[in-house]
Amino acid sequence: MSDTTSQIYFADTKAKAVFAADGPKPQFLIDTPNFKALVVGLEAGGQIPAHPGEAAMYHFLEGTGLMTVGDEAFEIKPGVTVVVPSGMKRGMNAKTRVVFLGSKGEQ
């Protein structure tokens, strides 16, 4: 596989997730000034505190938990996608080990 191909094709995205006891360690698939896509691993019991941000998309590959968007909580499990509008608070609590893809545009 060429260097260019290894930067655009990910045969096993979940394997790129990094797990750490001290919190998530996002691994960027692409990181440009205008667009970011990443894979994140979160240990069971781990959390991402509620925080505002730009519009973003989260697609869950593995695990279960809850994601809050604004004042609502949503169950997360493999196959679920959550789209968060710009400026809304979002956070996450992992019941089991969770792997998700995230993407957002930058302004």
Side-chain angles (χ1 to χ4, degrees):
M1 201 179 303
S2 72
D3 284 344
T4 302
T5 301
S6 68
Q7 295 173 14
I8 60 173
Y9 179 80
F10 303 93
D12 187 4
T13 309
K14 287 194 307 187
K16 291 194 156 300
V18 172
F19 296 91
D22 61 343
K25 306 287 184 220
Q27 302 299 300
F28 286 92
L29 303 176
I30 186 170
D31 185 4
T32 71
N34 297 320
F35 181 74
K36 298 180 186 322
L38 46 106
V39 62
V40 180
L42 191 60
E43 289 284 10
Q47 59 182 313
I48 298 173
H51 62 284
E54 298 299 327
M57 185 276 311
Y58 303 82
H59 180 75
F60 295 89
L61 302 173
E62 179 180 307
T64 61
L66 290 174
M67 181 163 185
T68 56
V69 179
D71 294 329
E72 292 189 66
F74 300 94
E75 181 182 357
I76 56 175
K77 60 185 179 181
V80 166
T81 301
V82 178
V83 178
V84 182
S86 186
M88 285 197 79
K89 286 189 175 184
R90 73 285 316 257
M92 195 177 307
N93 291 298
K95 290 180 185 173
T96 64
R97 195 176 243 207
V98 170
V99 178
F100 67 91
L101 293 171
S103 63
K104 67 178 183 172
E106 295 290 323
Q107 294 187 17

